[in-house]
Amino acid sequence: MTRNFIFFAIIVLSFETFIFHKHFFTDDITRGFYSTQFSYSQIETIISHQKKYEWVGYLLIPILYLIKILLITLCIYTGVLLSNTTLLVFSKIFSAVVLADILFLIPGVVKIFWFSFQRDYTLEDLQYFMPGSLLNLFNPKEIEPRLVYPLQSINVWEVAFWFALAYELKEYFREDFGKSFGTVMASYGSGLVIWIVFVVFLTLNFS
Amino acid sequence: MKNYLRVLVPFVVLGLLAILFFKIKDRLKEKRKVETATAILPSVSFLSIEGDSVSINAPTNKIPSFF
C-alpha cells in the first residue's frame, strides 16, 4: 500500500514538473526574467543549458522525495522515542508520513490551474506563488527576500499535514489526539523550524 | 538512555537554531555595512570581455530559488 502511494506521489510530482517546464517556464518567460541582467547570447546559453540538463530535474524528484520522507520520519521517530508511549516501528511512521504527504501534491495542482487562467505572469510570479500560504497576504516583490521562504512555508497544507499525521498516529497514543498532535508538533515542528532557518541562512548568503 | 536523549535532543535543536540565528545576524550586519558603503559610490559602468555592458546599478536576480 505504502509503495503504491510513493509511486503515485512521484508520478504526480513528475507530471507537475513536466507541465511547468513545458507550459509555464517557457523560453520567453526566461528571456524576460534575465533580460535586465544578461546579454541575449548569455540568456540563450542559459536556456540551452536548462534544456540540456532538464532530465536531471526529473531524476532528482524521487531521490529528493524519499530523502524528505525519511527526514520527516526520523524527526517523528525521535519524538515518539522520547515520549512516554509504546515504541513505534519506523515503517509504521514512514507509512503515515507517506500518506499524509499526499496533501503536498495539492498546491502544485492548484498552481497549474491558477496559471492556466493567467495571461501575464513572470518567472518571479511563478516562483513566489504558493496557494494558501501567508505570502499571499503580502506583495512578494516588496518584502525582504529572506522572508519569502518562511512565509511560503506557513500554509494551510502544512497545517493540514500536521493534523493528518497526528490523526494517523493517534491509535499509537491510545486514541489521544492531543498527545499525538503534541508529539508531531514537537518533533516535526522542530525539524521544520531548523529547515526554514537554514534556508533563510542560505538565501541570505546567495542573494 | 532515553533520559539522556531527552536532554540531548532539545540541546542539539536549540544549539543548531542558536548557531543559525547568530550566523544570520552576522550576515545581515555585514550586508548593511556593504549597503552603506555602496550608497556613496558613483554610478559607473564596465564592459565584460565579451563586450557586454556590466553596471553596478544593473538589477540582479533578487531571489535565489532553492525549492
Side-chain angles (χ1 to χ4, degrees):
Chain A
M1 190 70 172
T2 309
R3 264 186 211 170
N4 292 342
F5 277 117
I6 293 174
F7 189 67
F8 173 74
I10 291 171
I11 293 287
V12 174
L13 284 171
S14 306
F15 181 70
E16 283 174 1
T17 312
F18 176 77
I19 296 283
F20 269 99
H21 275 281
K22 295 292 164 204
H23 296 282
F24 301 116
F25 291 122
T26 56
D27 291 355
D28 286 341
I29 292 279
T30 312
R31 281 190 198 106
F33 182 71
Y34 290 117
S35 60
T36 53
Q37 304 163 47
F38 301 110
S39 67
Y40 182 77
S41 60
Q42 285 172 316
I43 296 170
E44 289 308 311
T45 312
I46 291 170
I47 292 171
S48 69
H49 270 88
Q50 278 177 348
K51 281 185 179 155
K52 191 179 173 187
Y53 296 107
E54 201 179 309
W55 62 273
V56 180
Y58 292 105
L59 193 74
L60 285 174
I61 290 172
I63 299 167
L64 293 176
Y65 173 78
L66 288 173
I67 289 173
K68 179 193 163 188
I69 297 290
L70 279 172
L71 284 175
I72 296 172
T73 310
L74 199 69
C75 281
I76 293 165
Y77 186 75
T78 313
V80 170
L81 188 78
L82 298 178
S83 66
N84 290 320
T85 185
T86 44
L87 191 59
L88 271 173
V89 189
F90 192 84
S91 62
K92 279 183 180 171
I93 303 173
F94 185 84
S95 303
V97 173
V98 168
L99 193 62
D101 195 76
I102 297 289
L103 280 164
F104 287 124
L105 300 175
I106 303 170
V109 177
V110 174
K111 210 169 167 176
I112 288 171
F113 274 100
W114 177 265
F115 283 104
S116 299
F117 297 104
Q118 301 295 316
R119 289 267 170 230
D120 294 316
Y121 56 84
T122 61
L123 197 64
E124 276 181 324
D125 295 327
L126 286 165
Q127 281 178 345
Y128 291 135
F129 185 70
M130 177 68 189
S133 74
L134 266 185
L135 190 65
N136 293 329
L137 302 176
F138 303 90
N139 181 357
K141 285 165 190 170
E142 285 175 6
I143 59 168
E144 287 283 328
R146 66 175 183 275
L147 297 176
V148 171
Y149 188 72
L151 290 173
Q152 271 183 336
S153 303
I154 305 166
N155 55 59
V156 286
W157 318 105
E158 193 65 62
V159 178
F161 178 74
W162 301 338
F163 277 98
L165 210 51
Y167 184 79
E168 281 171 49
L169 296 174
K170 177 182 78 164
E171 61 179 293
Y172 307 109
F173 289 87
R174 294 180 196 142
E175 297 296 320
D176 186 349
F177 182 79
K179 199 175 177 191
S180 175
F181 190 74
T183 308
V184 168
M185 284 303 291
S187 51
Y188 172 68
S190 307
L192 185 68
V193 169
I194 292 175
W195 176 249
I196 290 172
V197 176
F198 179 64
V199 174
V200 170
F201 171 71
L202 285 181
T203 312
L204 263 175
N205 277 284
F206 288 96
S207 65
Chain B
M1 181 67 179
K2 213 170 168 178
N3 285 335
Y4 173 71
L5 278 174
R6 262 195 198 130
V7 178
L8 187 76
V9 171
F11 186 76
V12 170
V13 169
L14 289 174
L16 269 173
L17 282 174
I19 290 168
L20 286 169
F21 175 77
F22 284 110
K23 288 264 180 197
I24 288 171
K25 207 180 147 192
D26 281 351
R27 187 83 182 114
L28 280 174
K29 210 172 157 185
E30 198 185 306
K31 279 200 161 224
R32 268 186 215 119
K33 260 188 193 172
V34 173
E35 271 171 24
T36 318
T38 52
I40 52 166
L41 283 176
S43 179
V44 290
S45 64
F46 306 93
L47 289 180
S48 69
I49 294 168
E50 287 94 20
D52 302 318
S53 174
V54 180
S55 167
I56 57 162
N57 294 326
T60 52
N61 186 2
K62 204 182 167 198
I63 294 194
S65 182
F66 298 104
F67 309 99

